[in-house]
């Protein structure tokens, strides 16, 4: 009896006609409603302005996702890193004045002695080309030996700060010539961009702050400056140098604070520049998943981990069945087990590793070519021996137990 016949017997033909009428009426109403809705939609869409934005599509393009490690790595390869020039400036100034402070006496004596010598013997020097060249070379020598400690200190500090900020990185992409950099329109846009405005505000703020601290220091020191004319030259130079060092280190301390804030801002700005949309994150993930090299490395790592786990199980085996050169299967059977279990299997190099591990733990190695081939082809690692191989495996285990003078546990039959 069909479903229609059962339905007719239960409800009768009149009820079926009534149900069909209601159903057809409902379908007709839905069709009319759908048609009116489509017409209304078309009418409303035709009335929309041409510059109307699809807000949903616009929202999907918002960069709301943190940059991935790959995106940061790609940006780093292009030379796009968070780097604060203010931090470099602060440490270069600190290194310069610190080295001058430490070697001040040596530098002062070096310059003073040569100045005294050259002006004291000025009447003895000739005016020939050789004499003038000798004086010039002496001056260069004094300048180099005097400034050498400062140059070394500044160089070391500058390298250390750059390595701290960006690490060891060599990128030539920023040095490559680009025609787009010669475009006056884009250059004009960069000149009045948001980043340029921020840099302008930072520079003005730095000038105001440093100028304020210089004013606080100099307003109390300037009234005493004229009195230096009453002191001898050596004392006056020493006092002026001390005041310059005090002022310099105060300014450097202010610049250090500003540089730390600028460094934090640069890191934040770099993160904002590298922000991604949800679609970009998905595309990058798909690209990485589909990269043959990455997939190959993942599979290789998985095989290595599986091999390591399998080799750790070999010492638990009761016997190693071989064919004997190409295959090796590790079998374990304990009382209470349904059937012997395959702990490890492999061919060629893996088989040699299994046999080597077996020799290390003095596990019997039995040659049985048909059984080794059958176990290798039909049973996976971790599975038990199938019923059709019970007899052959039992014979191998019995042989092993006789070698060990153990009682042979009979294999269970299903």
């Amino acid at each position: 009896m069909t479903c229609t016949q059962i339905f007719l017997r239960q409800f009768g033909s009149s009820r079926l006609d009534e149900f069909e009428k209601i159903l057809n009426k409902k379908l007709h109403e839905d069709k009319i409603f759908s048609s009116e809705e489509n017409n209304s939609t078309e009418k409303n869409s035709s009335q929309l302005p041409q510059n109307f934005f699809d807000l949903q599509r616009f929202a999907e393009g918002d960069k709301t996702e943190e940059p991935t490690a790959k995106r940061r790595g790609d940006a780093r390869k292009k030379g796009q890193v968070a780097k604060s020039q203010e931090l470099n400036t602060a440490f270069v100034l600190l290194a310069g004045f610190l080295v001058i402070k430490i070697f001040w006496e040596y530098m002062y004596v070096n310059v003073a002695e040569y100045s005294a010598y050259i002006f004291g013997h000025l009447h003895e020097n000739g005016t020939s080309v050789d004499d003038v060249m000798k004086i010039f070379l002496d001056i260069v020598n004094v300048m180099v030996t005097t400034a050498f400690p400062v140059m070394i200190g500044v160089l070391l500090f500058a390298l250390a700060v750059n390595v701290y900020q960006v690490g060891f990185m060599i990128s030539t992409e920023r040095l490559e010539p680009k025609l787009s950099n010669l475009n006056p329109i884009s250059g004009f846009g960069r000149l009045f961009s948001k980043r340029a405005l921020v840099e302008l505000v930072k520079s003005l703020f730095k000038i105001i702050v440093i100028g304020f601290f210089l004013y606080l220091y100099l307003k109390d020191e300037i009234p005493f400056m004229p009195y230096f004319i009453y002191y001898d030259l050596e004392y006056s130079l020493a006092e002026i140098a001390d005041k310059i060092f005090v002022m310099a280190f105060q300014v450097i301390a202010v610049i250090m604070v500003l540089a730390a804030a600028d460094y934090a801002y640069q890191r934040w700005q770099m993160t904002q520049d590298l922000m991604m949309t949800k679609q970009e994150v998905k595309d990058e993930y798909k690209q990485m998943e589909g990269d043959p090299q990455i997939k190959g490395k993942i599979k290789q790592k998985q095989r290595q981990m599986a091999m390591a786990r399998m080799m750790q199980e070999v010492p638990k085996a009761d016997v190693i069945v071989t064919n004997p050169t190409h295959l090796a299967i590790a079998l374990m059977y304990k009382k209470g087990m349904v059937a012997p279990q395959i702990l490890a299997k492999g061919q060629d190099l893996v088989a040699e590793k299994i046999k080597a591990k077996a020799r290390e733990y003095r596990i019997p190695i039995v040659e049985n070519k048909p059984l080794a081939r059958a176990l290798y082809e039909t049973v996976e690692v971790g599975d038990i021996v199938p019923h059709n191989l019970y007899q052959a495996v039992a014979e191998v285990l019995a042989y092993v137990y006789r070698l060990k003078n153990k009682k042979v546990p009979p294999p269970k039959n299903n």
Side-chain angles (χ1 to χ4, degrees), residues 374-386:
L375 289 173
Y376 184 83
E377 293 179 351
T378 61
V379 187
E380 296 298 328
V381 175
D383 294 342
I384 61 174
V385 173

Side-chain angles (χ1 to χ4, degrees), residues 251-411:
V251 172
I252 290 172
V254 175
I255 296 176
M256 281 286 186
V257 175
L258 297 177
D262 182 64
Y263 179 64
Y265 168 77
Q266 294 295 339
R267 291 179 65 88
W268 175 82
Q269 184 63 50
M270 177 58 63
T271 302
Q272 295 300 310
D273 292 341
L274 298 178
M275 291 289 281
M276 306 171 67
T277 63
K278 294 182 182 296
Q279 188 60 41
E280 287 176 338
V281 175
K282 293 178 182 178
D283 293 342
E284 182 180 293
Y285 179 76
K286 291 179 181 178
Q287 181 182 1
M288 293 181 64
E289 281 292 310
D291 191 338
Q293 293 183 351
I294 295 178
K295 295 180 73 174
K297 289 181 180 179
I298 293 174
K299 290 182 179 179
Q300 181 182 4
K301 189 67 176 179
Q302 290 174 343
R303 286 195 297 267
Q304 291 175 353
M305 294 174 63
M307 176 67 67
R309 288 194 300 268
M310 187 179 71
M311 297 304 294
Q312 290 175 357
E313 297 295 319
V314 172
K316 301 177 183 179
D318 292 310
V319 63
I320 307 296
V321 182
T322 67
N323 77 333
T325 56
H326 298 293
L327 300 177
I329 297 91
L331 288 170
M332 179 187 71
Y333 180 70
K334 303 297 181 185
K335 188 175 181 180
M337 294 178 62
V338 176
Q341 184 182 16
I342 304 295
L343 297 181
K345 70 174 185 175
Q347 62 179 357
D348 298 330
L349 183 59
V350 179
E352 292 299 326
K353 290 183 178 180
I354 293 174
K355 289 187 285 186
K357 181 74 73 171
R359 295 188 191 99
E360 180 183 351
Y361 288 89
R362 297 184 178 182
I363 300 172
I365 300 176
V366 178
E367 177 183 346
N368 190 321
K369 294 181 181 180
L371 179 59
R373 175 61 62 182
L375 289 173
Y376 184 83
E377 293 179 351
T378 61
V379 187
E380 296 298 328
V381 175
D383 294 342
I384 61 174
V385 173
H387 187 272
N388 61 323
L389 296 178
Y390 276 9
Q391 184 65 33
V393 173
E395 292 177 0
V396 172
L397 289 175
Y399 170 74
V400 172
Y401 287 138
R402 281 196 296 268
L403 290 178
K404 295 181 178 181
N405 294 321
K406 290 185 177 181
K407 182 179 179 182
V408 181

Side-chain angles (χ1 to χ4, degrees), residues 107-321:
M107 298 169 67
Y108 172 77
V109 171
N110 200 18
V111 174
E113 288 181 351
Y114 182 76
S115 299
Y117 169 79
I118 195 67
F119 287 109
H121 297 79
L122 191 61
H123 62 283
E124 299 177 1
N125 298 325
T127 57
S128 64
V129 175
D130 293 338
D131 293 334
V132 174
M133 182 61 68
K134 182 179 180 303
I135 295 174
F136 175 74
L137 292 177
D138 290 341
I139 294 175
V140 171
N141 181 55
V142 171
M143 292 176 62
V144 170
T145 55
T146 303
F148 183 75
V150 180
M151 292 188 294
I152 293 297
V154 169
L155 177 63
L156 293 178
F157 268 74
L159 288 176
V161 174
N162 277 281
V163 170
Y164 170 76
Q165 291 194 80
V166 302
F168 292 97
M169 182 187 69
I170 299 176
S171 177
T172 60
E173 186 163 341
R174 290 297 183 96
L175 302 178
E176 295 176 359
K178 296 181 180 179
L179 295 177
S180 59
N181 294 335
L182 302 178
N183 188 349
I185 298 177
S186 59
F188 189 79
R190 288 192 298 268
L191 186 62
F192 294 95
S193 63
K194 177 183 176 182
R195 186 182 296 273
L197 180 61
V198 171
E199 293 298 326
L200 176 62
V201 172
K202 283 164 46 181
S203 299
L204 293 175
F205 180 76
K206 183 172 65 174
I207 292 173
I208 293 172
V209 172
I210 294 175
F212 174 73
F213 279 92
L214 284 175
Y215 168 75
L216 291 180
Y217 177 76
L218 292 177
K219 73 174 183 176
D220 296 329
E221 298 294 337
I222 288 179
F224 297 97
M225 292 295 179
Y227 293 101
F228 284 120
I229 61 176
Y230 300 108
Y231 305 133
D232 58 23
L233 181 61
E234 184 175 355
Y235 178 80
S236 298
L237 290 176
E239 285 294 318
I240 292 174
D242 288 340
K243 294 183 183 302
I244 289 175
F245 283 131
V246 172
M247 179 180 66
F249 286 123
Q250 287 185 2
V251 172
I252 290 172
V254 175
I255 296 176
M256 281 286 186
V257 175
L258 297 177
D262 182 64
Y263 179 64
Y265 168 77
Q266 294 295 339
R267 291 179 65 88
W268 175 82
Q269 184 63 50
M270 177 58 63
T271 302
Q272 295 300 310
D273 292 341
L274 298 178
M275 291 289 281
M276 306 171 67
T277 63
K278 294 182 182 296
Q279 188 60 41
E280 287 176 338
V281 175
K282 293 178 182 178
D283 293 342
E284 182 180 293
Y285 179 76
K286 291 179 181 178
Q287 181 182 1
M288 293 181 64
E289 281 292 310
D291 191 338
Q293 293 183 351
I294 295 178
K295 295 180 73 174
K297 289 181 180 179
I298 293 174
K299 290 182 179 179
Q300 181 182 4
K301 189 67 176 179
Q302 290 174 343
R303 286 195 297 267
Q304 291 175 353
M305 294 174 63
M307 176 67 67
R309 288 194 300 268
M310 187 179 71
M311 297 304 294
Q312 290 175 357
E313 297 295 319
V314 172
K316 301 177 183 179
D318 292 310
V319 63
I320 307 296
V321 182

Side-chain angles (χ1 to χ4, degrees), residues 55-87:
L55 295 180
Q56 183 176 1
R57 182 178 300 176
F58 184 77
E60 290 177 355
D62 289 344
K63 295 185 176 183
T64 58
E65 304 302 310
E66 291 288 330
T68 61
K70 181 179 182 301
R71 187 174 181 88
R72 290 182 182 274
D74 293 341
R76 182 179 177 82
K77 292 177 182 178
K78 297 177 182 179
Q80 299 177 4
V81 291
K83 182 179 178 181
S84 172
Q85 294 297 337
E86 304 297 334
L87 202 62

